[in-house]
Amino acid sequence: MSKPLEVVNAVLDAGFAGLGPLCSAAGLADEYLGDARYADHEARINALIHWETGKLFTTGFLSGLGGLLTLPVALPAGLGVSWAVQARLVGAIARIHGHDVEEDRVRTLTLLAIVGDIGKEVVKQAGIEVGHQLGMRALEAVPKHALSSINRAVGFRLVSKAGPRGIVNLSKVVPLAGGLVGGAVDALACRAVGATARRLFCPGPLPSPGMSPG
């Protein structure tokens, strides 16, 4: 197995299983599914994205999780943990919509949510035409080996992003507020990943823009 593929599998496995005190993606989803305050899945997912990213990234909570994730290549621990937590959030969104987080398509879409806007480019470079709407249905006819190719391509992107030239050390740019700024940037990134996941796994029409969290 290639190193990039090992990286993404490690990130997905850690995120879906849960890191340290963090429950699994399925467990997180079940908490929201069992909460009668939410009228529908859209409200649950809005609340999930809003509360989980705020809770994890603005309190410095993740700083103690760096030693719990072992990746096959040398990456900054904080970055690996951030990706794993993003994977956990995406897995929970998929689970709320009734998907199995161990399914190959779910794992691939989780990675595409993490890389965001370049996801469609990665898919096209793998030689797969999915039309205008990327999602579970678009990947129905994609064979397992092709999904693996997409996963590997995402892994290359992540490893490249984590290289010396790909990481901006905000603690050096803003030394007095490095931790706070870093946490805020991570929170914004995680919310963006959550919004992408909501679009990828939504079974029907997309939610109206500008809708406030539940």
Side-chain angles (χ1 to χ4, degrees):
M1 184 182 295
S2 68
K3 290 297 182 183
L5 201 53
E6 288 183 49
V7 169
V8 295
N9 283 335
V11 166
L12 290 173
D13 291 345
F16 290 168
L19 278 171
L22 298 180
C23 68
S24 67
L28 178 61
D30 290 346
E31 289 179 12
Y32 283 83
L33 286 169
D35 195 326
R37 292 176 298 173
Y38 302 116
D40 52 29
H41 288 344
E42 184 178 328
R44 289 185 180 91
I45 290 170
N46 282 334
L48 170 65
I49 295 170
H50 177 73
W51 292 111
E52 291 302 313
T53 56
K55 178 172 64 179
L56 295 176
F57 288 98
T58 60
T59 63
F61 179 81
L62 296 185
S63 60
L65 298 181
L68 297 176
L69 176 61
T70 302
L71 293 173
V73 295
L75 297 179
L79 194 56
V81 168
S82 179
W83 289 334
V85 170
Q86 291 171 17
R88 175 177 177 263
L89 176 67
V90 178
I93 291 172
R95 165 88 170 191
I96 287 174
H97 279 307
H99 301 296
D100 180 358
V101 295
E102 296 304 320
E103 185 182 348
D104 292 331
R105 288 182 299 162
V106 171
R107 291 175 71 87
T108 295
L109 285 175
T110 297
L111 294 173
L112 293 175
I114 291 174
V115 295
D117 291 339
I118 66 173
K120 280 194 174 182
E121 177 188 340
V122 168
V123 172
K124 288 180 179 178
Q125 288 179 349
I128 298 168
E129 182 57 51
V130 296
H132 297 292
Q133 184 64 44
L134 182 61
M136 288 291 286
R137 290 182 182 177
L139 297 184
E140 279 182 354
V142 176
K144 186 173 182 178
H145 69 83
L147 294 177
S148 181
S149 295
I150 296 173
N151 297 353
R152 184 180 297 106
V154 171
F156 275 115
R157 297 291 183 123
L158 295 182
V159 171
S160 175
K161 183 178 180 180
R165 296 181 181 179
I167 298 174
V168 177
N169 191 334
L170 290 172
S171 65
K172 293 181 180 180
V173 176
V174 190
L176 296 180
L180 179 60
V181 173
V185 169
D186 279 344
L188 289 173
C190 197
R191 287 193 179 100
V193 168
T196 300
R198 179 172 55 188
R199 183 173 69 251
L200 291 176
F201 290 104
C202 183
L206 297 179
S208 301
M211 187 168 294
S212 59

